[in-house]
Amino acid sequence: MKDLLRGFRLKGMDEEAQRFTSSIPYDSEIFEQVKKINVAHMAMLVSKGLVDRDEGLKCIEALRELNGLKPSYELEDVHMAVEAHVISKVGEAGEMLNLAKSRNDQVATAIRMRLKEYVLDAVRELLSLRKTLLRRASEHLGVVMPGYTHMQQAQPVSLPTHLLAYFSSLGRDVKRLMASYEFADECPMGSAALATTGFDIDRGLVARLLGFSKVMEDPIDAVSSRDFLLDAIFGLMQTMLDLSRMAEELIVWSSKEFGFVEMPDELSSTSSIMPQKKNPVVCEIVRAKASNLIGELVATASMLKSLPYSYNLDLQELTPHLWSSFRDAIDSIRMMNKVMDSVKFDAERMRADLDGSTLATSLADMLVERLGMSFRKAHNLVGLISKKAEGREFVEVAKELLPAMLGVELPWLDSLNPESVVESRKVLGGTSRDSTLKLIELGKKEVEKEELWLDERLASLKRADAELESFVSGLRR
Amino acid sequence: MKDLLRGFRLKGMDEEAQRFTSSIPYDSEIFEQVKKINVAHMAMLVSKGLVDRDEGLKCIEALRELNGLKPSYELEDVHMAVEAHVISKVGEAGEMLNLAKSRNDQVATAIRMRLKEYVLDAVRELLSLRKTLLRRASEHLGVVMPGYTHMQQAQPVSLPTHLLAYFSSLGRDVKRLMASYEFADECPMGSAALATTGFDIDRGLVARLLGFSKVMEDPIDAVSSRDFLLDAIFGLMQTMLDLSRMAEELIVWSSKEFGFVEMPDELSSTSSIMPQKKNPVVCEIVRAKASNLIGELVATASMLKSLPYSYNLDLQELTPHLWSSFRDAIDSIRMMNKVMDSVKFDAERMRADLDGSTLATSLADMLVERLGMSFRKAHNLVGLISKKAEGREFVEVAKELLPAMLGVELPWLDSLNPESVVESRKVLGGTSRDSTLKLIELGKKEVEKEELWLDERLASLKRADAELESFVSGLRR
Amino acid sequence: MKDLLRGFRLKGMDEEAQRFTSSIPYDSEIFEQVKKINVAHMAMLVSKGLVDRDEGLKCIEALRELNGLKPSYELEDVHMAVEAHVISKVGEAGEMLNLAKSRNDQVATAIRMRLKEYVLDAVRELLSLRKTLLRRASEHLGVVMPGYTHMQQAQPVSLPTHLLAYFSSLGRDVKRLMASYEFADECPMGSAALATTGFDIDRGLVARLLGFSKVMEDPIDAVSSRDFLLDAIFGLMQTMLDLSRMAEELIVWSSKEFGFVEMPDELSSTSSIMPQKKNPVVCEIVRAKASNLIGELVATASMLKSLPYSYNLDLQELTPHLWSSFRDAIDSIRMMNKVMDSVKFDAERMRADLDGSTLATSLADMLVERLGMSFRKAHNLVGLISKKAEGREFVEVAKELLPAMLGVELPWLDSLNPESVVESRKVLGGTSRDSTLKLIELGKKEVEKEELWLDERLASLKRADAELESFVSGLRR
Amino acid sequence: MKDLLRGFRLKGMDEEAQRFTSSIPYDSEIFEQVKKINVAHMAMLVSKGLVDRDEGLKCIEALRELNGLKPSYELEDVHMAVEAHVISKVGEAGEMLNLAKSRNDQVATAIRMRLKEYVLDAVRELLSLRKTLLRRASEHLGVVMPGYTHMQQAQPVSLPTHLLAYFSSLGRDVKRLMASYEFADECPMGSAALATTGFDIDRGLVARLLGFSKVMEDPIDAVSSRDFLLDAIFGLMQTMLDLSRMAEELIVWSSKEFGFVEMPDELSSTSSIMPQKKNPVVCEIVRAKASNLIGELVATASMLKSLPYSYNLDLQELTPHLWSSFRDAIDSIRMMNKVMDSVKFDAERMRADLDGSTLATSLADMLVERLGMSFRKAHNLVGLISKKAEGREFVEVAKELLPAMLGVELPWLDSLNPESVVESRKVLGGTSRDSTLKLIELGKKEVEKEELWLDERLASLKRADAELESFVSGLRR
């Protein structure tokens, strides 16, 4: 066997060099895909009369039997291993397996197929996290908390509005992953090494049987391009950046000093000696893993930079970054979902922590609205009061000083409190109960649409599998 | 004036600190956008009865007069400078300018508007380059050249197929930039500092007058998020990676040893002493600038990582990376367009350089096709001949040895040459003349669609400007 | 003039291409260095008899008169501009200016010279910051604060120990910058374009007159290598990472919830309406700028990757990243020095914030020490008490429960408090007063050594200038 | 056992969270180091009378028996697993194992120890590669080749000068790795969790027994800092950048078009069908792996950015990047050494490829030297000839035109050829035989010094091991 296939490597390749240049350690990720490509390609060859029906079917049989990959540096990679297996099973018939194809188009196709599955996994987890956030927002309607700029309290906001900010950010990540799916959804098969083939193959058929929406026509582009791989990593990186920001907030909020959240026991570590110390370890790891994704993107981008077109072995080193990006990101989304699902928000503490001065902006707005003062003047006047309040309760000071300064009664000052302020913002996206409910409603519809997209893609992949199955059966008759 | 607006900074801010934390050096990029936002917002306020009509119109008048930005560290940034100008022109009326808005939503909106314009510029340049590539491919139908893998000659391909690989890659870059446009096309106005406002404003109206497709509802997300900015930089980075690969090939090809291309004089540097030395400097700079984009993406991603939500001043440092990304990328696309437009391909040299052994794959295919040999056997047999040919002309050796080895006449061996091989690949995406023409046709249609997209966006932005104009006029009556 | 020098670019270079490939916008950074190199090189040529003494001295005269650079795309770059100036001043004599040198070695030398100056600036600022930290530590002896792991209170520490952690980290940054100085301290002059020269020049003399410690012998390495530039950027990046960590802590600590520090007014921004809100803007910008440095390092590393040896124009694009790295880092160090110099630490608040449970580890240690209990058992026993304490004062609960559980009196429990615990750690680096004073003493000595290093380098550069001066004078006689 | 040690994690930690936050998969890298730290620390405790001699010696015994790590998520990490093992072996005595230390100082110390070993490995491989380069340079004295700028032939150089450029670059990488060794060579032990300890331990003793040169005094710095890890990754990245540049040149040079080198069979892959095609796969992988290192540096830098001081779990995610950086880099250096050792340089082809116009600069120099022409004039005059030569042999054209133009005989023109030009450059670092031999001599001395450094470090680590051994024995008496 080795004799028959030898030559892909010069005889006597240095063993260390063999290991150094081998893709074997990563090939298991695409083993099933490579098998399926071989089946679809062979079925096409038979249907086009390029390979004898019986021989072709024998090959397909042998491919189907193949279970798991026994990696071996001798057989170089998954592509060679599969061919070797088939030839060992069916003899000469197997020697047609690589007609009109090459490792170059085959590996690009297999990576795309595996990537598409991973994207659907990631989207599913993201949708689950988004639904959790919607639920947590619904559960905390009316919870008022400090809104920060520069980590300084600025204005009262509502916890749901904050949670919906997470929700909205992640919505764009879903869109990015969807886009990366479409970029990957082109089939390179038929490009062969880089120049297509003189055989009268049907590229469209193979693409369809493998669940692709279209053929990637230009063969040099098809074997040279890995930008689709960066699209996915970028989508995952953006997701991780959003998760890292959420993680950072939860870490800060779970400090004794903030005390806004309590991490669930099962997602914290602690010390035997200070059992009340709950280290937000899951969030810390999520935060750190975001950096992994930045690193992966840089590594891959820098590999592609200045690389001549068509196949160079550098492309092989790109792929491991893709798989570990997916693993890191999917794990992190799942874990953040667990955190968001079970973290306890301390509404009382949030409310108690609110500084009175965060009402200043609203007071200024009221002066404009009710007394017709100019905005800038109202602003400066309230600033004056804030300054005098230093240390004392802002609203009390305002009640004390303002009427005298303006020479009017201001009975409505009694209604100035965080709850009324939060409820007063009734505009689209505002913090009032109704605006919030509307956002939640919109959010649910958005997620439903995304679930529909996901289901359609899954169904379409299943349909392709079924079509491949029945196409092969059809050849038998 | 300074007195009225003072307070945004504590009195007596350290001058060095002021410079260190100021956005003034970059504000000129968004000056026009900030003006327009102020106009649209004020028009909305008037229409909603929140500001007196005459006073509002005075403000709008003053805004329109404002020409150019005189940056001043005293007035802190473009937002303050604009307000100061208006108040100095129209007095108290100007003090309503910032009612129901804040620098936080305003700056996010302005960046999005500017970014959208830049994306359209970049797309326009990319479409122009794509059309150049289509034209150059059409001009070189029938030109045969070596196809490389691992920088080793592998099979004969055609120059048009190679140029169309460039064309196809860039097509995905166009799609990415389009997607980044859509991500930016949400309007944060009305989010105010981070909590929306209690005034009954019309967020949808402002969004429409500023040419946005939708409102960005959640206010904390709206002022916190800069992921849209990374989408654009990523799209530009992918574009630059593609350009760097093209540049690398042109640099190698313009070496004396390859000699496949000759750079036009006006795009090369040389030395006074070796005037025939044409340094492909434009390509070298394009290649290097691709790394700038990787750097910009890393800088921005790393700034966002772990940043708490809502506004932190870190966000200010992100924006300069966006503008320089656009400048680098747009310049590079334009320059590469010039190069592609005028570079001279040396068809003769390419053909002459082709090694006979690149016909080996096709010979094996022929043995399968014409003699019914198994693919693997044909492959190995041809390998044997290649080995024997070392140093001699491959086809000659094949003609000499094969008939004897197989015991048959092989008259068709006479037709084995690069031209026939290239022409024989008639499949979708193949190197034959017809397949190539078909790809060019498809390419033209694709570009037309993209031009349509571009025109629609430009028209829609113009429509918004006109609507703003007429909306303001409507207020006057 | 242009006519004489023309030819460096092909006639009629495209204007846009000229701008695109020009270094003019950055050349002002190295203008003085280029001048000096020309003087030293010419002095050497004269001394070696390669150029006529009078003509050489005329050139030197003309170079010295040259004030400031008038950038012009016509004269391509600083090197051409300088030659043009000299020729216009002294006529034919000036035409010897570039004998036995080239832009390739000249630009590499000039960058190294400028970099060395910048490194010394950066070191000076760092030493100043380090001294500030020593002083602040001295001022706060005895101030006890919570020590955190995972942002959870863990054990009481002292503020000086925390400030000395900053001090120690920055000490390594100083060492890195020193190392980068040594890497840059090799002189490429004499390498000419890439192959040295046949003229009998004295490379050692030129190196010495320009303040270099040694000649960079291999000429291909000398014109190809820019790794010294990455060394500096890396040293600055590490510095910025340390500053970003300090900035992050100060931002968190200046939140209302922590309240450990108060930023000085002159280094904060605020809002006119909430004047007590002090936004720690300087720290935010420092934190963000750390990401700039990561970006610069990536951009430059990725440019160098896979670049063939000897001169490629890509190298030109590296340099701007160096200058902006220095500017960002030096500004940030200076600003952080101002912050550290004037930030007010609230010792009372820190002490009050300390949770009793942070004494648990010390209690366990005491049980081991005084009762001979095993460490693990003591640990677990204290853990039990902590658990029972939840919500109540830890030490009180310990006093209540422990004696009964162990059946002994534990009078020493009365002395268990943060102050005693902090003072009890008397080991090297411990938090006790004496250990702290010892660290401060060591720190002062370290800084003194570094100042010595700095002074020696500055003196050595001055000596070289003086030697150049007197060497030129010597030629006159 | 689990019961005794439980509490490090809250009971019932979610299994997925446990895996997500565990360091187990990477702990095997530091298992031996953790064991040794436990031995040294316990020996110190005994010697200071803090632990009973017999009990301490039992622990040490048990630690020594421990072979290999059986990772288990239940026992959380290597630190817990070691303690659990010891307790299970020696019972209560083992419960003193963690007295006066913590995982925080222990893990930082173990990483430093392992890193130091890896650095010495990397340096050893680099020195071996440097020696190979010296040897290959020696073997090719007198081989003339084209020197390139902008990938255009510029001047004749010698192959040894080119190889010595590689040699010189790698010399700086050795220096960087040495520096990273020194940065890592500080011992955190005794910092405990972050606050040192009240026990009277001897930090200096532990440091010495573990082979460190000094104690890392400040405990918060000691457990917070991972910059030493970035120093190593940076040193490796610079090394890889240099290797990638060498790899790129070899890939281009092994193209048919250049043909300057022939890769050895055992380091190439090929195709069965084109056996003469030798794909330079080792160089391609080296080139790609350089990007891995850029990615690792970015990931780690971005993790550290903005991270508060003292221990956060993010630090745990840094370490895997360190190990994979070392593996990638050491493998790549080894492989590049094999390539450099065996690659065949085609001296004839290099010489034949030299374009006559590369002699232009030398001709100009000769005109200056022999006719006293000004440099700029000579330059331009030669430029004129080059222009007229286009297509014809440069020297022939010069001989034909120059005498007439200048009105003098130029008999020395006969001696103008690449060999004479290369030999004429006799300055320091020049291409002449003597200058080259001198560089090789200098290089050998440099490597000897570096080998001395390496040997000293290895010896010092061995000495520490022996001292630890005898110290433990001493306790027994």
Side-chain angles (χ1 to χ4, degrees), chain B residues 64-216:
Chain B
R64 298 233 155 136
E65 277 165 19
L66 188 51
N67 262 325
L69 179 78
K70 284 143 283 171
S72 133
Y73 286 100
E74 242 175 42
L75 289 173
E76 200 172 336
D77 63 19
V78 61
H79 313 283
M80 297 294 295
V82 165
E83 184 179 0
H85 162 86
V86 172
I87 294 177
S88 81
K89 284 284 171 189
V90 304
E92 210 177 323
E95 298 184 15
M96 288 307 247
L97 206 65
N98 278 318
L99 186 72
K101 72 179 171 66
S102 131
R103 285 190 287 190
N104 294 355
D105 55 350
Q106 185 160 296
V107 75
T109 305
I111 297 170
R112 286 166 181 269
M113 290 169 70
R114 185 75 187 94
L115 182 153
K116 286 166 63 186
E117 293 173 13
Y118 262 128
V119 169
L120 298 184
D121 287 348
V123 167
R124 182 187 300 109
E125 297 296 340
L126 265 176
L127 295 185
S128 177
L129 171 54
R130 293 191 85 204
K131 286 192 283 187
T132 300
L133 288 164
L134 284 181
R135 182 171 57 72
R136 298 310 304 267
S138 304
E139 290 167 9
H140 292 86
L141 286 176
V143 172
V144 167
M145 68 180 291
Y148 295 81
T149 60
H150 313 270
M151 211 167 248
Q152 301 288 314
Q153 294 200 5
Q155 296 182 28
V157 297
S158 79
L159 177 56
T161 297
H162 203 106
L163 293 174
L164 291 171
Y166 297 166
F167 173 84
S168 307
S169 313
L170 296 173
R172 293 187 293 276
D173 296 320
V174 171
K175 282 203 184 61
R176 280 175 200 111
L177 289 173
M178 286 173 168
S180 81
Y181 187 96
E182 312 299 344
F183 277 120
D185 197 18
E186 293 189 280
C187 184
M189 286 307 295
S191 301
L194 86 160
T196 69
T197 177
F199 290 101
D200 180 27
I201 59 173
D202 184 342
R203 296 186 69 187
L205 173 63
V206 173
R208 210 173 66 237
L209 296 178
L210 295 174
F212 284 96
S213 297
K214 69 184 290 288
V215 168
M216 193 163 187

Side-chain angles (χ1 to χ4, degrees), chain C residues 4 83 95 148 150 161 172 176 195 203 218 227 231 245 249 307 309-311 374 376 425 428, chain D residues 83 95 148 150 161 172 176 195 203 218 227 231 245 249 307 309-311 374 376 425 428:
Chain C
L4 183 67
E83 183 178 359
E95 299 185 13
Y148 295 82
H150 312 272
T161 297
R172 293 186 294 275
R176 281 176 199 108
R203 297 187 68 187
D218 188 276
D227 45 298
D231 291 321
R245 299 181 75 176
E249 296 204 322
L307 198 66
Y309 270 69
S310 117
Y311 196 80
S374 88
R376 184 54 63 206
R425 306 193 196 105
L428 183 58
Chain D
E83 183 179 0
E95 300 185 11
Y148 295 82
H150 313 272
T161 296
R172 293 186 295 275
R176 279 174 201 112
R203 298 185 68 186
D218 188 277
D227 46 299
D231 291 322
R245 301 180 74 176
E249 296 204 324
L307 198 64
Y309 270 67
S310 119
Y311 195 80
S374 88
R376 183 56 62 207
R425 305 192 197 105
L428 183 58

Side-chain angles (χ1 to χ4, degrees), chain B residues 205-320:
Chain B
L205 173 63
V206 173
R208 210 173 66 237
L209 296 178
L210 295 174
F212 284 96
S213 297
K214 69 184 290 288
V215 168
M216 193 163 187
E217 290 104 354
D218 189 275
I220 295 179
D221 184 32
V223 300
S224 314
S225 294
R226 292 292 186 274
D227 46 299
F228 70 95
L229 194 152
L230 269 70
D231 291 321
I233 298 178
F234 175 71
L236 298 169
M237 181 193 81
Q238 286 266 42
T239 307
M240 289 302 292
L241 292 180
D242 284 333
L243 295 185
S244 79
R245 301 179 73 176
M246 296 158 60
E248 170 78 7
E249 296 204 323
L250 291 175
I251 291 167
V252 171
W253 290 358
S254 64
S255 71
K256 167 181 173 292
E257 288 74 12
F258 274 80
F260 287 4
V261 296
E262 193 188 337
M263 281 288 155
D265 284 13
E266 63 272 21
L267 299 175
S268 313
S269 80
T270 187
S271 87
S272 59
I273 200 166
M274 295 173 67
Q276 78 289 359
K277 186 168 189 283
K278 288 196 189 172
N279 299 325
V281 284
V282 166
C283 290
E284 290 175 295
I285 296 291
V286 166
R287 184 172 62 178
K289 279 190 186 295
S291 295
N292 284 354
L293 270 283
I294 304 180
E296 307 290 18
L297 191 59
V298 167
T300 47
S302 141
M303 273 180 210
L304 281 183
K305 195 220 136 195
S306 308
L307 198 65
Y309 271 68
S310 119
Y311 195 80
N312 300 283
L313 201 63
D314 310 60
L315 296 182
Q316 180 180 286
E317 285 291 304
L318 282 163
T319 321

Side-chain angles (χ1 to χ4, degrees), chain A residues 238-282:
Chain A
Q238 286 266 41
T239 306
M240 290 301 293
L241 291 180
D242 285 333
L243 294 185
S244 79
R245 301 180 73 176
M246 295 158 61
E248 170 79 7
E249 296 204 322
L250 291 175
I251 290 167
V252 171
W253 290 358
S254 64
S255 70
K256 168 180 173 293
E257 288 73 11
F258 274 79
F260 287 3
V261 296
E262 192 186 337
M263 281 287 154
D265 284 12
E266 63 273 20
L267 300 175
S268 312
S269 79
T270 185
S271 88
S272 60
I273 199 165
M274 294 172 68
Q276 77 290 358
K277 186 169 189 281
K278 289 195 188 170
N279 299 326
V281 285
V282 167

Side-chain angles (χ1 to χ4, degrees), chain C residues 264-275:
Chain C
D265 284 12
E266 62 273 20
L267 300 174
S268 312
S269 80
T270 186
S271 88
S272 59
I273 200 165
M274 294 172 68

Side-chain angles (χ1 to χ4, degrees), chain A residues 4-5 8 83 92 95-96 98-99 104 147-151 154-157 161-162 164-166 168-169 172 175-176 183 186 193-199 201 203 215-221 224-225 227-228 230-231 234 237-238 241-242 244-246 248-249 287 290-291 294 297-298 301-302 304-313 365 368-369 373-377 380 424-431 439 442, chain B residues 4-5 8 83 92 95-96 98-99 104 147-151 154-157 161-162 164-166 168-169 172 175-176 183 186 193-199 201 203 215-221 224-225 227-228 230-231 234 237-238 241-242 244-246 248-249 287 290-291 294 297-298 301-302 304-313 365 368-369 373-377 380 424-431 439 442:
Chain A
L4 184 66
L5 301 178
F8 272 89
E83 184 178 359
E92 212 178 319
E95 299 184 14
M96 289 305 248
N98 279 318
L99 186 72
N104 294 356
Y148 295 81
T149 59
H150 313 271
M151 211 167 249
Q155 296 182 28
V157 297
T161 296
H162 202 106
L164 291 171
Y166 296 166
S168 307
S169 312
R172 292 186 295 274
K175 283 202 181 63
R176 279 174 201 112
F183 278 119
E186 293 188 281
L194 85 160
T196 70
T197 177
F199 289 103
I201 59 173
R203 299 185 68 187
V215 167
M216 193 163 185
E217 290 104 354
D218 189 277
I220 295 179
D221 184 32
S224 315
S225 292
D227 45 299
F228 70 95
L230 270 70
D231 291 321
F234 175 71
M237 181 192 81
Q238 286 266 41
L241 291 180
D242 285 333
S244 79
R245 301 180 73 176
M246 295 158 61
E248 170 79 7
E249 296 204 322
R287 184 172 62 179
S291 295
I294 304 181
L297 190 59
V298 167
S302 140
L304 281 182
K305 195 221 137 192
S306 307
L307 198 65
Y309 270 68
S310 121
Y311 195 80
N312 300 283
L313 202 61
D365 284 354
V368 174
E369 210 174 7
M373 207 176 276
S374 88
F375 173 71
R376 183 54 63 207
K377 284 221 176 62
N380 289 344
S424 74
R425 305 192 197 106
K426 294 182 188 305
V427 295
L428 183 58
T431 49
L439 275 201
L442 280 171
Chain B
L4 183 67
L5 301 177
F8 272 89
E83 184 179 0
E92 210 177 323
E95 298 184 15
M96 288 307 247
N98 278 318
L99 186 72
N104 294 355
Y148 295 81
T149 60
H150 313 270
M151 211 167 248
Q155 296 182 28
V157 297
T161 297
H162 203 106
L164 291 171
Y166 297 166
S168 307
S169 313
R172 293 187 293 276
K175 282 203 184 61
R176 280 175 200 111
F183 277 120
E186 293 189 280
L194 86 160
T196 69
T197 177
F199 290 101
I201 59 173
R203 296 186 69 187
V215 168
M216 193 163 187
E217 290 104 354
D218 189 275
I220 295 179
D221 184 32
S224 314
S225 294
D227 46 299
F228 70 95
L230 269 70
D231 291 321
F234 175 71
M237 181 193 81
Q238 286 266 42
L241 292 180
D242 284 333
S244 79
R245 301 179 73 176
M246 296 158 60
E248 170 78 7
E249 296 204 323
R287 184 172 62 178
S291 295
I294 304 180
L297 191 59
V298 167
S302 141
L304 281 183
K305 195 220 136 195
S306 308
L307 198 65
Y309 271 68
S310 119
Y311 195 80
N312 300 283
L313 201 63
D365 284 353
V368 174
E369 209 174 7
M373 205 175 279
S374 88
F375 173 71
R376 183 55 62 207
K377 285 223 176 59
N380 289 344
S424 75
R425 305 191 197 107
K426 295 181 188 304
V427 297
L428 184 58
T431 49
L439 276 201
L442 280 171

Side-chain angles (χ1 to χ4, degrees), chain C residues 151-213:
Chain C
M151 212 169 246
Q152 301 287 314
Q153 293 199 4
Q155 296 182 29
V157 297
S158 78
L159 177 56
T161 297
H162 203 106
L163 293 175
L164 291 171
Y166 297 165
F167 173 83
S168 307
S169 312
L170 295 173
R172 293 186 294 275
D173 297 320
V174 171
K175 283 204 183 61
R176 281 176 199 108
L177 289 173
M178 286 173 169
S180 81
Y181 186 96
E182 313 299 344
F183 278 120
D185 197 19
E186 295 188 279
C187 184
M189 285 309 293
S191 302
L194 84 160
T196 69
T197 177
F199 289 102
D200 179 27
I201 59 173
D202 184 342
R203 297 187 68 187
L205 173 62
V206 173
R208 210 173 65 237
L209 296 178
L210 295 174
F212 284 96
S213 297

